[in-house]
Amino acid sequence: MSAYAMPEMYFNIDHGYLEGLVRGFKGGILKQADYLNLVQCESLDDLKLHLQSTDYGNFLANEPSPLTVSVIDDKLKEKLVIEFQHLRNHCLEPLATFLDYITYSYMIDNIILLITGTLHQRPINELIPKCHPLGSFEQMEAIHIAATPAELYNAVLVDTPLAPYFIDCISEQDLDEMNIEIIRNTLYKAYLEDFYSFCSELGGATAEVMCDALAFEADRRAFIITINSFGTELTKDDRAKLYPRCGKLNPYGLTQLGRADDYDQVRAVADIYGEYKELFEGSGTNPGDKTLEDRFFDREVQLMKNSFMQQFQMGTFYSYVKLKEQENRNIVWIAECVAQRHRAKIDSYIPIF
Amino acid sequence: MADVDYQPSKPSSKLSGVSLYPVYAVVYVLALSAILVIAFYYMLTGKGARFDFGWFLESTSPFMWASIGIGLSISLSVVGAAWGIFTTGVSILGGGVKAPRIKTKNLISIIFCEAVAIYGIIMAIVIANQLGTYDPLTASETVIRDSHYAGFQMFAAGLTVGLSNIACGISVGIVGSGAALADAQNASLFVKLLIIEIFATAIGLFGIIVAILQITGVKMGTD
């Protein structure tokens, strides 16, 4: 499959029905009016009642009361998983590979969770329910047979779709010595760059939408890694190896970030780039300011909403998953505030539509 | 554009299929070398004058041109109609899952695409009615001249209506697909998008008008 010049003519043959379906799903994402109803709830049962009138319907109908926030979280995730699996089961290539790429980020989280759990001698059946169902793979049950990460790689991980990400960046002795978080970030970097080159190979409108979205994701990770590494023992060289190179910060921004020592220097790097300058400007740690993470989420939601403006491209599927994730986070945030009766910050969810 | 700065150092690990470009390149090179060999053969052996397009036009039968014209008229129109129907039909199906109210209204887009095929069949019948025969040994010069003229006109009319219907079908299909999906989100948008579709069908109408102008007044054969 190469970059066809006019995707409008060919896209609907294979993917037209699923695009129509995913746009229908997107129409069911909660609007501002629904959020206003939700923040006025007094209890979790109220919340359940309000969610019944939205696209969620009776998804909490079979749960025994009293409801807890973790039950709501699980059921929200389950709804997203059911819709995603439906899309994945009905699609043709290359959309099937595209949807698989979306699941790899959840797979990375699952693998890191399982490795950490195994290293702390947790039984495997305690860990499996904690894994995200979108990122499940066949060898998940077999992870506990390995004693060290290197053995784990040779026996189990080499058959998963994530094997190429291990090969390029982590050698066997690295797996044993490296901190688990560094492994996670190295894998994620390899995954993001691979996804980026897959999308640019697809070409056309998909490449336009997805490359922008993935570039933003890469830059966001670079900033967050840098800020979180102040005060830890992560050396600057190691930190520079974790930055994904497919964003707008590459190469000058990344070299400068690699040398940054504190928050103000990071901010100085962001000031060079127009869109990141305004993200850093409005943020801060004073009460009433939005945090930097919230500004990043805002910008991500903006990018994802814009991708629905183009038809005949696969970015709508990626955006749908991201927006649904954001909606789940919002509902869980509101549910936590309601359950704990601490309504001071109940309005700091990220509005979507 | 994000991909101006970053050149991926290697292709993605999940290959999205084999490129077709080697096939295109081979076909192109073979065709080009065949044409060049034939052209140089004629030129270099002093037979350049034999490469004569006028001789080709005179010695081919006008019946062949006319029949190809009729075939092109219906077949290319059907290609355009089919293209439009599949483009808009799957979007109506996909959008209709979560918004069932769009199902009936959006069949108008399918009807517009079907009209394209109807233009093609009308033209085919009109052209076919003008066919006539003559005996090349006994016919007068006027009849032979008129019949050749008629053959070329029929071919041109069929090509005109066929190609313009392909364009019309594709554009009605793409607009209809957008109309269905927009209607599923916001019911007030449908009427506005229908106006765009009406302009798109107008180009098919232009094709059939020009084809009818080309076909009037031709006289083929002695009957």
Side-chain angles (χ1 to χ4, degrees), chain A residues 83-255:
Chain A
E83 287 171 353
F84 188 85
Q85 292 294 353
H86 179 85
L87 292 174
R88 180 63 185 82
N89 289 337
H90 283 257
C91 62
L92 297 172
E93 290 293 343
L95 184 58
T97 315
F98 187 86
L99 291 180
D100 282 339
Y101 266 103
I102 298 179
T103 62
Y104 293 162
S105 71
Y106 299 107
M107 238 184 247
I108 292 177
D109 287 336
N110 285 355
I111 286 183
I112 300 295
L113 183 80
L114 291 171
I115 292 180
T116 323
T118 317
L119 286 178
H120 291 150
Q121 322 302 49
R122 293 252 180 278
I124 195 74
N125 34 0
E126 193 186 298
L127 294 171
I128 296 277
K130 292 204 189 134
C131 290
H132 199 291
L134 274 185
S136 64
F137 52 98
E138 288 149 12
Q139 295 85 358
M140 245 160 65
E141 312 279 331
I143 286 221
H144 67 292
I145 61 171
T148 68
E151 224 180 87
L152 178 71
Y153 173 68
N154 281 329
V156 172
L157 297 174
V158 72
D159 288 324
T160 63
L162 300 183
Y165 307 144
F166 283 93
I167 291 177
D168 292 325
C169 40
I170 308 183
S171 65
E172 256 193 57
Q173 52 278 47
D174 284 344
L175 264 182
D176 274 327
E177 293 162 2
M178 256 202 256
N179 187 349
I180 203 79
E181 282 303 310
I182 300 196
I183 296 184
R184 181 208 298 269
N185 283 316
T186 320
L187 283 180
Y188 203 88
K189 168 192 168 174
Y191 154 69
L192 210 54
E193 290 177 355
D194 196 27
F195 198 2
Y196 190 96
S197 37
F198 179 74
C199 290
S200 4
E201 272 170 25
L202 285 178
T206 306
E208 265 179 54
V209 169
M210 286 307 299
C211 289
D212 273 342
L214 294 176
F216 173 72
E217 182 68 24
D219 292 336
R220 171 200 204 180
R221 282 191 85 82
F223 281 127
I224 299 285
I225 289 175
T226 314
I227 293 178
N228 287 348
S229 72
F230 295 144
T232 67
E233 65 241 4
L234 186 63
T235 67
K236 288 194 187 159
D237 288 332
D238 281 341
R239 190 175 80 199
K241 278 196 274 196
L242 297 178
Y243 296 148
R245 285 164 303 178
C246 50
K248 296 196 174 81
L249 287 177
N250 183 53
Y252 307 113
L254 289 183
T255 40

Side-chain angles (χ1 to χ4, degrees), chain A residues 282-291:
Chain A
S283 73
T285 41
N286 313 325
D289 266 351
K290 283 196 153 185
T291 68

Side-chain angles (χ1 to χ4, degrees), chain A residues 48 65 155 193 200 222 230 250 256 264 280 338 347:
Chain A
K48 168 177 162 180
S65 64
E193 290 177 355
S200 4
F230 295 144
N250 183 53
Q256 288 194 325
D264 288 320
F280 273 78
V338 162
D347 285 324

Side-chain angles (χ1 to χ4, degrees), chain A residues 67-85:
Chain A
L67 277 180
T68 59
V69 177
S70 65
V71 162
I72 295 183
D73 190 18
D74 283 340
K75 292 304 250 182
L76 288 172
K77 236 193 280 191
E78 193 185 308
K79 182 156 197 295
L80 170 62
V81 169
I82 291 176
E83 287 171 353
F84 188 85
Q85 292 294 353

